[in-house]
Amino acid sequence: MPYVNIRITRDGATAEQKAELIRGATRLLVDVLGKNPATTFVIIDEVETDNWGVGGESTTVIRRRQK
Amino acid sequence: MPYVNIRITRDGATAEQKAELIRGATRLLVDVLGKNPATTFVIIDEVETDNWGVGGESTTVIRRRQK
Amino acid sequence: MPYVNIRITRDGATAEQKAELIRGATRLLVDVLGKNPATTFVIIDEVETDNWGVGGESTTVIRRRQK
Amino acid sequence: MPYVNIRITRDGATAEQKAELIRGATRLLVDVLGKNPATTFVIIDEVETDNWGVGGESTTVIRRRQK
Amino acid sequence: MPYVNIRITRDGATAEQKAELIRGATRLLVDVLGKNPATTFVIIDEVETDNWGVGGESTTVIRRRQK
Amino acid sequence: MPYVNIRITRDGATAEQKAELIRGATRLLVDVLGKNPATTFVIIDEVETDNWGVGGESTTVIRRRQK
């Protein structure tokens, strides 16, 4: 009964893309460890770019500079 | 000083229901382990049904089929 | 299908006490929100006292002073 | 490659304050442990006051009483 | 720059199986969302069976009964 | 009442270094957002290098190659 938490920046991932993440992460746990999919949870957190930092800067600032 | 994180799907839990979860989880830590309620945190995360999967499918899809 | 994560300091909680936390947290979600216990996860993390701080100090230091 | 997750109540923290949290947490990991800032993540979660409890009460209730 | 946290019971997953989880979860984020693998983190937490409950019982108890 | 979770690889961080992380993270929340240190939690998780992946590889493998 695994629990998978995927955290990404909020960037317009579609319901279909999120469904693919859920399918793919579940299949991974089944294939690698033989886990039961019925008790495999996948939770996706979408985080505002102001709230996600890397290299000491928010993703908002990093992307503005990359344009 | 426990930390309790309750993650549920976003389904219209009311402020009163969330207050009951906070009260109940705090009392549980006090009763079972003698923890100090003043430093017991309870944080509730409400997750969109598109973002919560089980059995390889999103809760949105599971519920649509159950109707 | 809730997910409950309880984080406490590692202080010798027994298997029976941890079983009570699992039972109690599950019942709370059933009673307050009508959740299905079969898909309610409760995960307990026990954290070393050197690794848990409050008020700017580790729990190890706080307890040494309280003796 | 550290991962830092800062959870606060949603209280109108500005983008500039959140940028300071990201800068400060990253610098802390560099200064104390010599970590590489390029692979240091800082993620800020802002939680509704109804969803954050301490002492068995939601922050919404605590603040109403303190007024 | 996604962050993936996989939580499983501690059951003797080998280093090679954990490497497969890391590879697979990273590839999933690249394939579905075009994320950069160089800033994709995958963290696996292995949790004692006494500390993981489902259906109101610890995994230790559930497995003992299933034998 | 913030909650800060710092996740690092298990690499022999000393109790003193962990105390500095706790002090520094607490001070950051006080300085930037005026939070009360008495209800600021800092929890450090040390993760085995086999269990932490970046770029699709475990930290164990990355470090072996870098020697």
Side-chain angles (χ1 to χ4, degrees), chain C residues 2 24-25 27-29 42 45 49 55 64:
Chain C
R27 194 180 307 130
L28 183 67
L29 273 294
V42 181
D45 296 324
T49 56
R64 196 178 300 145

Side-chain angles (χ1 to χ4, degrees), chain C residues 10-55:
Chain C
R10 189 181 294 282
D11 277 316
T14 64
E16 178 46 40
Q17 287 173 319
K18 292 190 281 192
E20 279 185 61
L21 291 177
I22 289 168
R23 255 197 309 277
T26 305
R27 194 180 307 130
L28 183 67
L29 273 294
V30 172
D31 288 352
V32 177
L33 293 175
K35 295 295 184 182
N36 179 0
T39 49
T40 298
F41 286 4
V42 181
I43 296 179
I44 301 165
D45 296 324
E46 296 174 277
V47 177
E48 303 301 326
T49 56
D50 274 355
N51 290 16
W52 190 306
V54 62

Side-chain angles (χ1 to χ4, degrees), chain B residues 41, chain C residues 55-56, chain D residues 4-9 11 13 17-18 20-22 24-26 28 42-46 52, chain F residues 1-6 21-43:
Chain B
F41 286 5
Chain D
V4 181
N5 183 212
I6 299 175
R7 311 199 86 181
I8 53 177
T9 45
D11 277 318
Q17 287 174 319
K18 293 190 281 192
E20 279 185 62
L21 291 177
I22 289 168
T26 305
L28 183 68
V42 182
I43 295 180
I44 300 165
D45 295 325
E46 296 174 276
W52 190 306
Chain F
M1 50 215 148
Y3 168 85
V4 181
N5 183 213
I6 299 175
L21 291 178
I22 289 168
R23 255 197 308 276
T26 305
R27 195 180 307 130
L28 183 67
L29 272 295
V30 173
D31 288 352
V32 176
L33 294 175
K35 295 294 184 183
N36 179 1
T39 49
T40 297
F41 286 4
V42 182
I43 296 179

Side-chain angles (χ1 to χ4, degrees), chain F residues 2-59:
Chain F
Y3 168 85
V4 181
N5 183 213
I6 299 175
R7 311 199 85 182
I8 53 177
T9 45
R10 188 180 296 281
D11 277 317
T14 64
E16 179 46 40
Q17 287 173 320
K18 293 190 281 193
E20 280 185 62
L21 291 178
I22 289 168
R23 255 197 308 276
T26 305
R27 195 180 307 130
L28 183 67
L29 272 295
V30 173
D31 288 352
V32 176
L33 294 175
K35 295 294 184 183
N36 179 1
T39 49
T40 297
F41 286 4
V42 182
I43 296 179
I44 300 165
D45 296 325
E46 296 173 275
V47 177
E48 303 301 327
T49 56
D50 274 355
N51 289 17
W52 190 306
V54 62
E57 290 182 311
S58 78
T59 312

